Amino acid sequence: MAELSVWFDGRVHTGVTPEPTLNTFGLHYGYAVFEGLRSFDVGGTASIFALQPHIDRLLRSAATLDIPVRYDNDTLVAAHHEVLAANGLTEAYLRPVAFLGDGLSGLGTQRHRAHLAILAWPWANPAPSGGGVRLAVARRRRPAPDSFPPHTKAAGGYLIAKLAHNEATARGFTDAIMLDDGGHLAEATSMNVFLVRDGGLLTPTTRACLPGITRGTVIDLARQAGVRVREADLTVSDLLDADEVFLTSTAAGVRPVRAVEDHVFGDGRPGALTTDLLGRYDEHVLTHSTPPTAPADPTPSGMFGPAAVLTSGGRS
């Protein structure tokens, strides 16, 4: 096995991977923020999709948790490409993570040194068997936004989602749909959700879920194709009433949903609009990824742009 190279605190380390000690604050309290990015082989070059939006969100998340990141934007952009080159990777997944280091005396975070690491490993994105995934409806809910900031991609914020995912897979499902504290649809455990109805797209508001970068990209692509897109307060009944359902994330891209609980959508195969947007997205990431010598792409306008809000059951 080739030696792993990791970018850690300003440079690439090869062979001996830097490891936090067992009294690392981030390990004990989940006090860390992270991102997940994909790189693609474009003409033999590793090109990273949506690099700048991911860096921007990492920095926003770190600021929310008061984790200082002492590197400028150009250094962070270069660092992602450096770790790919050091590992000889083109098709890969990247994981930058900022966390607080040694020290467990007291609960305050101000005196702990912050670290930043970027890992990369080979990544394949096989299509789900049977043409789509099967989702459970989780009994666990996303925390209220006044309890935990939903737009922060923090390690500790994923504990509830991981419990929901474990419970869903134990029941034989691929993943789970989570509701917010008011009983509306929020997201899957690590993916945003879209409903297709009457030829348009509905997606939950970002009140209690992460406004995903892939989510924003799909919204932009759909609108460019003339598809109506609306954010809405949606219920499980709205979900089951959909013509098609799909999930989005950086890791999975556009992922069709075959069924929720025992309800199968259509004939169980990906629907027409889902298939169309999947193709558009797959083409988009190859033509809008950032090679080492190019400026990073801007944030998708659909990520934070204005959207009409419908009440539960409203048609798009």
Side-chain angles (χ1 to χ4, degrees):
M1 179 181 294
E3 291 183 322
L4 176 69
S5 295
V6 175
W7 192 95
F8 182 74
D9 281 355
R11 67 183 181 89
V12 172
H13 300 252
T14 301
V16 178
T17 302
E19 295 183 5
T21 65
L22 292 179
N23 67 340
T24 296
F25 194 91
L27 172 65
H28 287 261
Y29 295 103
Y31 214 88
V33 297
F34 68 95
E35 282 294 327
L37 301 88
R38 287 284 305 276
S39 73
F40 299 89
D41 188 320
V42 180
T45 300
S47 297
I48 304 172
F49 178 64
L51 175 56
Q52 191 61 57
H54 282 285
I55 290 174
D56 292 344
R57 189 170 63 186
L58 179 72
L59 296 176
R60 287 195 302 270
S61 295
T64 299
L65 268 63
D66 199 22
I67 299 175
V69 176
R70 57 185 184 274
Y71 305 103
D72 63 25
N73 190 79
D74 288 346
T75 299
L76 294 176
V77 168
H80 286 76
H81 290 291
E82 288 170 12
V83 75
L84 288 172
N87 285 287
L89 296 172
T90 53
E91 295 275 347
Y93 188 85
L94 297 102
R95 170 55 54 82
V97 55
F99 61 95
L100 295 184
D102 290 355
L104 297 177
S105 299
L107 296 177
T109 64
Q110 291 78 10
R111 66 182 183 83
H112 298 282
R113 183 185 179 191
H115 300 280
L116 179 65
I118 305 174
L119 299 83
W121 58 89
W123 188 261
N125 188 25
S129 60
V133 298
R134 296 174 60 246
L135 304 179
V137 176
R139 65 184 180 89
R140 302 183 186 275
R141 297 192 175 189
R142 295 292 302 155
D146 58 356
S147 295
F148 188 87
H151 297 182
T152 300
K153 199 171 177 70
Y158 279 77
L159 292 176
I160 298 172
K162 292 306 178 186
L163 285 172
H165 185 272
N166 289 347
E167 291 166 358
T169 56
R171 294 177 55 207
F173 292 94
T174 313
D175 199 353
I177 286 288
M178 301 185 71
L179 309 182
D180 65 17
D181 58 311
H184 295 105
L185 300 183
E187 58 188 347
T189 62
S190 61
M191 293 184 272
N192 293 117
V193 60
F194 285 85
L195 286 60
V196 177
R197 198 163 63 187
D198 297 340
L201 286 184
L202 289 168
T203 191
T205 70
T206 58
R207 173 184 175 273
C209 73
L210 190 75
I213 292 166
T214 303
R215 173 187 183 271
T217 300
V218 168
I219 288 173
D220 286 351
L221 292 173
R223 287 176 172 159
Q224 291 166 16
V227 177
R228 301 183 310 277
V229 184
R230 297 289 185 269
E231 291 187 343
D233 292 325
L234 300 167
T235 66
V236 173
S237 293
D238 295 317
L239 177 65
L240 299 179
D241 191 42
D243 301 319
E244 307 170 30
V245 175
F246 63 88
L247 307 175
T248 61
S249 73
T250 296
V254 175
R255 180 60 56 89
V257 174
R258 180 176 182 270
V260 171
E261 295 287 346
D262 59 357
H263 178 84
V264 177
F265 297 100
D267 61 5
R269 294 180 294 182
L273 185 52
T274 299
T275 301
D276 179 71
L277 289 173
L278 190 159
R280 291 175 186 272
Y281 179 80
D282 285 351
E283 179 180 359
H284 180 82
V285 297
L286 293 179
T287 56
H288 290 76
S289 294
T290 306
T293 57
D297 264 6
T299 299
S301 61
M303 186 173 172
F304 295 108
V309 176
L310 305 178
T311 58
S312 173
R315 295 272 168 173
S316 63

